[in-house]
Amino acid sequence: MHGLGELEAAVMDVLWQERPLKVREVLDRLETGKKLAYTTVMTVLDNLHRKGWVTRELEGKAYRYEPALSRAEAAARTVRAVLASSGDPEAVLMHFALSATEQESDLLRQGLRKRKRLAAS
């Protein structure tokens, strides 16, 4: 995910698969190819909480963490950030539209129709 470090993205992948989880449970499910310390994962989760990527609720003496937004919402946030930083969002959208597959085009049309219906209600 754009805006996330490699370990942060791996932690989010774990949380999107199964939630809510305590630090130890996230650590046990992480597959980074490296041995990580409990405190490292705790720090990553604290950072993700500070950045608004996860919420947490105290259970006994430990927090349970879960994503603040779905994977799809996070991806949409990333697309929005890329568009905002591009310097020419209209050109980027036009290039995407011209290169979109038929299925992607259909999905975009469906989304725009749904947006129009929601705005009208």
Side-chain angles (χ1 to χ4, degrees):
M1 284 280 131
H2 183 74
L4 294 179
E6 187 177 327
L7 187 51
E8 290 174 325
V11 167
M12 288 305 298
D13 283 338
V14 167
L15 290 173
W16 278 317
Q17 292 173 30
E18 186 181 346
R19 59 186 163 221
L21 296 172
K22 293 181 180 180
V23 174
R24 173 67 56 198
E25 296 167 328
V26 173
L27 176 61
D28 291 344
R29 288 161 177 80
L30 273 173
E31 297 178 15
T32 62
K34 302 174 190 171
K35 183 160 175 54
L36 299 170
Y38 177 93
T39 54
T40 299
V41 176
M42 183 174 63
T43 299
V44 169
L45 284 162
D46 283 340
N47 289 341
L48 288 169
H49 178 259
R50 186 177 36 77
K51 292 178 179 181
W53 283 87
V54 299
T55 60
R56 65 185 181 191
E57 188 171 321
L58 195 58
E59 184 180 289
K61 293 182 179 183
Y63 284 109
R64 282 200 174 274
Y65 293 86
E66 63 184 315
L69 54 165
S70 71
R71 188 184 297 266
E73 290 168 327
R77 178 193 279 186
T78 299
V79 170
R80 173 97 25 229
V82 168
L83 287 172
S85 67
S86 71
D88 192 354
E90 292 86 4
V92 173
L93 285 171
M94 190 57 82
H95 281 288
F96 178 79
L98 292 172
S99 67
T101 66
E102 198 57 43
Q103 182 183 12
E104 291 167 340
S105 296
D106 289 343
L107 289 170
L108 284 170
R109 280 191 284 279
Q110 289 173 18
L112 291 170
R113 282 193 298 271
K114 183 175 182 178
R115 181 175 147 215
K116 190 174 182 178
R117 282 193 307 272
L118 289 173
S121 58

